[in-house]
Amino acid sequence: MRTKRLVDTSLSLATVGVLSLAIGGLLSLWQLGNLTILYIPGVLWLAAKRGRLSALVASVAAFLVYDWFFIEPYHTFEVGQPQEWISLGVLLMVGLFTGEAYALLRRQSEELAEHDRHRQLLAESDRVKSSLLAAVSHDLRTPLAAIKASASSLLQPQTQFDDDARHEFLSAINTEADRLDRLVRNLLDMSRIESGALEPRLEWHNLSEIAADVIDRLQPVSDGHDLQLVADDHEFLAEVDYVQMSQVLTNLVDNAIRHGAPGAAVRVIVNENRVTVENQGSHLPADELDRIFDRFYRGGGKASGTGLGLAIAKGVVEAHGGRIWAENTSAGVAFQVQLPNRRTEALPA
Amino acid sequence: MSARILVVDDAPEIRNLLKRTLSGHGHTVELGEDGVEGVQKARSWQPDLILLDLAMPRMGGLTACQQIREFSQAPIIVLSVMGEEQDKVRALDAGADDYVTKPFGMDELMARIRVGLRRAAGGGSPDIFTCDGLSVDSSARRVTVTGQEVHLTPIEYSVLSYLVANAGRVLTHNQILAHAWGPEYASELQYLRSFIGQLRKKLGDSAARPHYIMTEPGVGYRLRSPDWE
């Protein structure tokens, strides 16, 4: 702030100096009264470029310099001829008024720009909300429809189902309820990531334990894909939030299942603080490798999933200080999660 | 084993569902709508076991748990949702026996209730604990896995026997650390995690799929219980 004032003042004085030299030079050619006018574009320029203070400083300086050098008696601030007061007065007034006017204009245009930014933000958040709503209502309805259909079938008074059919209806209700639970968790996580409130509670965990837990929970709903864990059975501890990291792996495995070739295996490979989730199936176009992590981005036209899972995975991994990326492999697509390398201390046994 | 169970939850759907299910298993059930009513009925009705929701109006489960513990030792199982890990730990440290996370499966809840009731019945742990190949003989301080003797350091044995004495029930990190190393170690989480890793290895547990010592993320550990099967 102080530097800006210093720059404004120096620039104003320099402008007035240059203009005064010009006026001095032209004095032999033209009448003094006409030359006063030359200060005005200078003041206007300063008002527009540097604001009110510059214009004010410049007009006062021009007033003083003009009086000192160009008005008789020279080298005093006295004014011999009364009509010279008019030139001086006009000079000062132009400086003050234009300065104010420009400053006002600038403030208004800044306010307008601010208003515009705000409106854009609101529009963006509106857009996010309606896409979220659309995605969510679609995804909530699918398991809800399955639950409703199964439960109402079982409730039909006149229909008798055999044990197998009853069991099938009941397990549908059970697994679809789990799906709803996962979806709600994703929504909560998304809103925490959006509001910056996602704080991992870091503890030391073996990533292969988290991966095994996720695989065991998803295997029954894997649509015939074999979920495999590839991990050394040695104890390597990474500093992670167990619940959040299991949500990341759940989303990655779920994604690998949905986009994998029917019946092909999905492998989760844990190597110390690196986890790879890879499937077999079609490749991702190069331009999608990054974009799939955007909110609501649903690749490849297959409109399943909310388009939130990978965005959440990215948000969580980054909140852990790690990196996540996708790459094409010879057989399909691999998602890599690399967590920061913080080793545990050796333990005193 | 039929028991008197007090269910305290502000959601009527959950209350009624639990009442029906628990009655179906032969238990007598009383309901409470919030912490205040829960404390009051815990005093007047003297249940054998209490299911206590954490987030309730008027008085939450944590405060209710503290107040109930002033006059009753009945096992308290906390019902909570994902993400309330710290509240769970506080409730456990305030004297709750265990927790289940909503949405929970009935099989899981029934297993917790069985463990809670058995502990309350004061059967104490038998001299020889056996579960799925693991056997811990507390009088001889002998541990075997499928017949093979396992050699444990004194502290490893102390942690394992603490888990055995509470088999099927969650023990918080703090409880285990304070039990085996003393209260001044209660915050050495990383130490405990590595230690459990070693203990699992000696018991032949896989790091990825531990069979005996289960991780309760953000809370603590739980030893597999014969009651589960």
Side-chain angles (χ1 to χ4, degrees):
Chain A
M1 200 61 220
R2 268 182 57 194
T3 10
K4 182 185 182 298
R5 258 184 229 160
L6 205 68
V7 171
D8 283 353
T9 311
S10 330
L11 195 66
S12 305
L13 294 179
T15 310
V16 170
V18 169
L19 288 171
S20 304
L21 284 177
I23 291 171
L26 292 169
L27 209 51
S28 52
L29 302 175
W30 289 311
Q31 265 199 322
L32 184 63
N34 301 332
L35 292 173
T36 322
I37 286 283
L38 279 182
Y39 283 117
I40 290 173
V43 170
L44 286 176
W45 178 76
L46 284 165
K49 283 282 161 208
R50 311 293 305 180
R52 186 162 39 168
L53 180 76
S54 295
L56 185 68
V57 169
S59 13
V60 172
F63 175 90
L64 293 175
V65 169
Y66 188 70
D67 189 358
W68 186 267
F69 287 108
F70 302 124
I71 290 178
E72 291 175 36
Y74 299 121
H75 307 300
T76 69
F77 287 119
E78 283 169 43
V79 180
Q81 305 259 341
Q83 72 265 29
E84 299 288 2
W85 277 116
I86 298 176
S87 312
L88 281 172
V90 167
L91 189 61
L92 198 59
M93 263 162 50
V94 166
L96 297 180
F97 279 124
T98 51
E100 273 305 317
Y102 268 111
L104 190 70
L105 217 77
R106 224 155 70 149
R107 232 181 8 250
Q108 279 178 344
S109 72
E110 270 167 19
E111 272 167 20
L112 269 175
E114 174 65 25
H115 193 73
D116 218 46
R117 256 202 311 278
H118 193 66
R119 240 187 24 207
Q120 272 173 6
L121 273 178
L122 279 180
E124 161 70 7
S125 123
D126 240 29
R127 199 186 59 76
V128 168
K129 270 190 203 128
S130 45
S131 334
L132 189 64
L133 214 61
V136 166
S137 52
H138 170 267
D139 274 56
L140 285 175
R141 283 225 174 89
T142 315
L144 273 178
I147 291 171
K148 176 78 184 163
S150 309
S152 54
S153 300
L154 287 169
L155 281 173
Q156 278 176 317
Q158 59 287 66
T159 323
Q160 287 297 320
F161 294 104
D162 60 23
D163 280 356
D164 281 353
R166 282 168 52 82
H167 185 262
E168 204 170 299
F169 284 132
L170 290 169
S171 31
I173 293 175
N174 201 25
T175 49
E176 293 305 313
D178 286 342
R179 190 198 301 275
L180 273 180
D181 184 43
R182 285 199 297 277
L183 182 66
V184 170
R185 260 184 234 175
N186 267 340
L187 286 175
L188 285 176
D189 282 348
M190 194 72 235
S191 71
R192 286 197 191 113
I193 291 169
E194 291 281 292
S195 63
L198 187 92
E199 274 181 33
R201 280 193 59 220
L202 299 178
E203 288 179 348
W204 295 96
H205 286 289
N206 192 332
L207 288 174
S208 57
E209 193 184 347
I210 303 180
D213 192 16
V214 167
I215 286 177
D216 293 346
R217 268 186 296 113
L218 290 183
Q219 186 65 71
V221 290
S222 68
D223 262 347
H225 294 262
D226 186 23
L227 309 183
Q228 303 169 350
L229 175 67
V230 183
D232 276 352
D233 203 43
H234 83 284
E235 187 81 336
F236 181 92
L237 300 180
E239 212 178 9
V240 294
D241 182 312
Y242 189 106
V243 176
Q244 289 178 13
M245 203 44 68
S246 88
Q247 188 75 357
V248 168
L249 297 184
T250 300
N251 291 352
L252 291 180
V253 171
D254 183 52
N255 182 73
I257 290 172
R258 277 187 289 108
H259 297 281
V266 169
R267 295 208 302 166
V268 182
I269 303 154
V270 181
N271 188 358
E272 302 200 327
N273 50 3
R274 159 82 69 98
V275 184
T276 310
V277 177
E278 58 178 35
N279 70 0
Q280 296 162 29
S282 48
H283 281 160
L284 275 170
D287 64 315
E288 281 193 22
L289 287 173
D290 282 330
R291 276 165 63 208
I292 44 169
F293 292 103
D294 292 350
R295 276 176 321 197
F296 309 126
Y297 187 79
R298 301 178 192 204
K302 224 198 263 178
S304 62
T306 45
L308 286 181
L310 295 179
I312 289 166
K314 185 174 156 78
V316 170
V317 169
E318 285 175 356
H320 277 73
R323 260 180 355 108
I324 184 169
W325 69 98
E327 57 196 29
N328 287 317
T329 62
S330 55
V333 178
F335 285 83
Q336 305 278 5
V337 173
Q338 175 70 51
L339 292 166
N341 205 355
R342 284 189 289 255
R343 276 205 88 110
T344 57
E345 288 162 28
L347 47 143
Chain B
M1 180 162 41
S2 103
R4 294 151 64 83
I5 298 181
L6 172 63
V7 175
V8 188
D9 194 311
D10 59 327
E13 305 88 327
I14 303 281
R15 276 201 307 272
N16 295 333
L17 196 73
L18 286 175
K19 176 166 186 161
R20 196 171 300 276
T21 313
L22 294 173
S23 307
H25 280 82
H27 300 298
T28 314
V29 180
E30 182 68 37
L31 303 176
E33 290 184 11
D34 57 36
V36 177
E37 209 179 12
V39 174
Q40 193 192 319
K41 291 203 169 159
R43 196 191 299 273
S44 58
W45 193 62
Q46 303 206 331
D48 298 323
L49 183 140
I50 301 165
L51 299 181
L52 188 63
D53 187 30
L54 267 190
M56 289 183 293
R58 282 221 286 174
M59 184 196 285
L62 185 56
T63 315
C65 182
Q66 287 160 342
Q67 296 198 2
I68 292 170
R69 273 292 168 262
E70 285 170 14
F71 57 84
S72 165
Q73 285 307 311
I76 297 176
I77 298 174
V78 163
L79 313 177
S80 64
V81 298
M82 187 63 84
E84 290 179 338
E85 272 68 28
Q86 274 163 312
D87 289 338
K88 282 179 210 165
V89 171
R90 272 191 220 112
L92 291 167
D93 286 340
D97 284 66
D98 214 326
Y99 70 89
V100 285
T101 304
K102 287 180 186 173
F104 47 80
M106 272 304 159
D107 46 347
E108 190 187 353
L109 179 66
M110 296 316 293
R112 299 274 188 279
I113 290 177
R114 276 198 302 277
V115 169
L117 288 176
R118 206 166 62 154
R119 278 176 42 76
S125 38
D127 277 353
I128 300 180
F129 167 90
T130 50
C131 178
D132 234 5
L134 170 68
S135 151
V136 179
D137 180 343
S138 54
S139 53
R141 294 174 74 93
R142 212 174 103 93
V143 179
T144 57
V145 175
T146 54
Q148 293 285 320
E149 181 153 6
V150 179
H151 296 282
L152 299 180
T153 67
I155 284 197
E156 283 165 351
Y157 181 78
S158 149
V159 169
L160 182 61
S161 64
Y162 186 41
L163 286 165
V164 163
N166 292 282
R169 176 190 172 203
V170 68
L171 291 173
T172 65
H173 299 128
N174 290 359
Q175 287 169 335
I176 300 172
L177 283 160
H179 174 88
W181 287 271
E184 66 273 24
Y185 286 91
S187 55
E188 302 283 330
L189 282 193
Q190 179 190 337
Y191 180 76
L192 178 63
R193 183 58 185 81
S194 310
F195 183 87
I196 293 287
Q198 279 191 341
L199 185 52
R200 278 176 176 162
K201 203 170 174 180
K202 284 198 178 176
L203 298 179
D205 246 358
S206 112
R209 286 194 174 85
H211 186 66
Y212 298 123
I213 304 176
M214 325 297 270
T215 302
E216 292 290 331
V219 179
Y221 296 96
R222 183 192 297 277
L223 190 73
R224 173 174 289 272
S225 155
D227 281 348
W228 292 359
E229 320 313 327

